Amino acid sequence: MKRFVLLLGLLLTTTGASAEQYLYILSAKAKLMAAPSFNSATIGQVSKGERLLTLEKRNNRWFKVEYKGKQGWISRLAVSAHPPVRRATRLAGLDDERLLNNARRRASSVATTAAVRGLRDDSRSRLGQADNRQDYHSLALLEAEHYSDAELSHFLVTRDD
Amino acid sequence: MMRTLSRTLFCAWLGLFAVEAAAAPEQFHRRAHQLQHEAADESDIQAEIRFGRDIAARILGRLQIESPESPRHRYVNLVGRSLAGFANRPELEFRFAIVRSEAITAYSTPGGYVFVTSAALDAMTDEAELAAVLAHEIAHVSARHIVKAFNIRGNDDAALSGVARLVGAGQDTGRVAFFQAVDNAVKLLFETGYRHQDELEADRLALMLLAASGYDPQALPRFLQRAQALSQDPVHVSSSHPATAQRLSAIAQFMEEEGLSALTGSHATQRFQQHVQTL
């Protein structure tokens, strides 16, 4: 009897482990659809970070999932096999002065290293060309901007036609 | 009776084990391949942003940015950032800007920097078309097309890796290799173009993004057709894209397969005209 229970347990564990696969919602919100099509009825909304049990995969574009007892289809656009990681808003230790210095070092390193190693023959002649200019000042202006989630949500729901 | 049942169960377990073991090598390779692309850790993301930031600075060195103070800059950001919320890269903060150029096109770099040209904006008639162009660029970032092309990863010993090398502490050869990758990425964006299949994938993902966010997916083929007709020099529109006719055909097929043709979505024409066309 003991052996029977053990084997039954082993069988259940094996089949259970191979069957259960989860997906995580990575987009801000995702619609749970009645069928694998954006044209089908929406049967629920799932938020970022939620874990869904995968039941079936269709065309590598749609997953049939179970979420809070409901079965539906979710687009692969919104999901990943890995949970979301936190947003990297600003690179650690990065400042524009350092980058500008680095750009200057770059010119030097390209010239010297390429000269010594022959890594790139055209590097020296390209230095100073207009196409090689870098504008970190404008980039920093873009990176300083902030848009709140509330503002973005409001923008979406206030669309005309 | 119990012994027979036990034997049956044991055989069943062995059978299952054998099936799994037989399938394992193929599944392992497939999983390993998927993981390579999906399981980006924090150092990969940092490397991606650092790489994309350098390419973005080069784009801004070539093309003058329209003032971030302008109302339409803010408007383009609101459209782009709200769209990006539907993509699967929450770890990135997408940033959008208008750059002055007569070419009807848009550019994006790893890490989420997206640029649309003034000529492209002038050629659009509604917000759905702006969303379509931005969605196509978000898709290139989301699918890591440039990152994969140049294998930018932060946690291995390849010549292109290592944020520390980039910032200046590393060896010259490592930095040179990294900047060569930046050079090549700029060349990809302005001259050679993405791989054919990457462009088509970006179109498919863009259509899904439009559908998920409630915009009319027809805006993508509509704008492509107009851009082609407006452009005297077709190279402007298609230098980084497969022939427009081929893209339109693939888009039509995908829309049919996914039920997107019958979908009605927002155009937000009035709002677009208020923010963009009054200037």
Side-chain angles (χ1 to χ4, degrees), chain B residues 90-172:
Chain B
E91 72 275 22
L92 298 180
E93 178 157 9
F94 280 81
R95 297 176 169 93
F96 300 83
I98 305 162
V99 286
R100 295 187 201 285
S101 167
E102 289 178 9
I104 300 176
T105 191
Y107 308 95
S108 57
T109 81
Y113 300 89
V114 179
F115 305 95
V116 59
T117 65
S118 48
L121 212 52
D122 291 343
M124 293 165 186
T125 60
D126 59 32
E127 191 174 299
E129 290 180 1
L130 172 60
V133 170
L134 300 182
H136 178 92
E137 297 306 320
I138 291 168
H140 279 307
V141 178
S142 190
R144 296 184 175 92
H145 287 153
I146 292 184
V147 174
K148 286 176 195 169
F150 298 107
N151 192 25
I152 300 300
R153 294 176 72 81
N155 59 355
D156 62 16
D157 294 327
L160 298 183
S161 77
V163 171
R165 287 179 186 174
L166 168 64
V167 181
Q171 297 169 346
D172 278 351

Side-chain angles (χ1 to χ4, degrees), chain A residues 1 3-4 7-8 10-11 14-15 17-19 21 25-31 36-40 48 57 59 61-62 75-82 84-94 96 98-99 102-103 105-106 109-110 112-114 117 119-120 123 126 130-136 138-147 151-156 158-161, chain B residues 2-3 5-7 9-10 12-13 16-17 20 31 34-35 38-40 42 45-46 49-50 53-54 56-62 65 68 73-75 77-79 81-82 85-93 95-97 113 115 127 166-168 172-173 175-176 179-180 183-184 186 201 204-205 208-209 211-215 254 257-260 262-263 265-271:
Chain A
M1 182 63 189
R3 193 189 295 169
F4 168 72
L7 278 170
L8 186 62
L10 200 57
L11 184 64
T14 309
T15 51
S18 64
Q21 285 190 331
I25 299 294
L26 294 195
S27 61
K29 273 179 193 169
K31 287 176 183 170
S37 163
F38 282 111
N39 205 19
S40 70
K48 186 166 83 184
K57 193 175 175 179
N59 294 336
R61 292 172 196 161
W62 290 93
S75 160
R76 82 161 164 121
L77 185 74
V79 297
S80 166
H82 309 278
V85 296
R86 76 188 158 83
R87 177 172 283 185
T89 49
R90 189 80 177 157
L91 293 171
L94 183 71
D96 293 315
R98 199 171 180 188
L99 266 167
N102 187 50
R105 272 202 305 276
R106 175 203 175 187
S109 77
V110 169
T112 53
T113 315
R117 294 179 173 264
L119 278 173
R120 196 184 170 104
S123 290
R126 287 172 56 264
D131 283 355
N132 273 345
R133 278 199 300 253
Q134 293 167 299
D135 181 359
Y136 282 106
S138 298
L139 196 62
L141 291 178
L142 294 183
E143 289 173 337
E145 290 183 300
H146 178 68
Y147 297 78
E151 189 178 10
L152 298 178
S153 300
H154 178 73
F155 184 78
L156 266 183
T158 51
R159 277 184 300 210
D160 49 65
D161 59 10
Chain B
M2 194 57 77
R3 179 174 288 181
L5 196 57
S6 293
R7 272 184 194 155
L9 279 171
F10 184 67
W13 176 76
L16 271 172
F17 184 78
E20 291 212 339
R31 282 177 195 153
Q34 284 170 348
L35 284 175
E38 288 180 12
E42 212 158 316
I45 294 161
Q46 295 272 321
I49 296 173
R50 186 64 54 89
R53 204 174 183 274
D54 227 63
R58 290 277 292 276
I59 292 173
L60 292 172
R62 280 186 178 213
I65 191 173
H73 169 90
R74 185 165 186 82
Y75 173 69
N77 265 277
L78 286 167
V79 175
R81 288 174 186 242
S82 52
F86 291 88
N88 61 359
R89 298 299 304 276
E91 72 275 22
L92 298 180
E93 178 157 9
R95 297 176 169 93
F96 300 83
Y113 300 89
F115 305 95
E127 191 174 299
L166 168 64
V167 181
D172 278 351
T173 46
R175 290 217 308 277
V176 169
F179 286 121
Q180 281 182 357
D183 283 350
N184 289 335
V186 172
E201 187 186 27
R204 290 194 295 272
L205 290 171
M208 290 158 75
L209 258 181
S213 57
Y215 284 107
F254 182 77
E257 283 171 13
E258 290 294 310
L260 297 175
L263 210 61
S266 172
H267 290 199
T269 312
Q270 218 177 343
R271 188 161 74 175

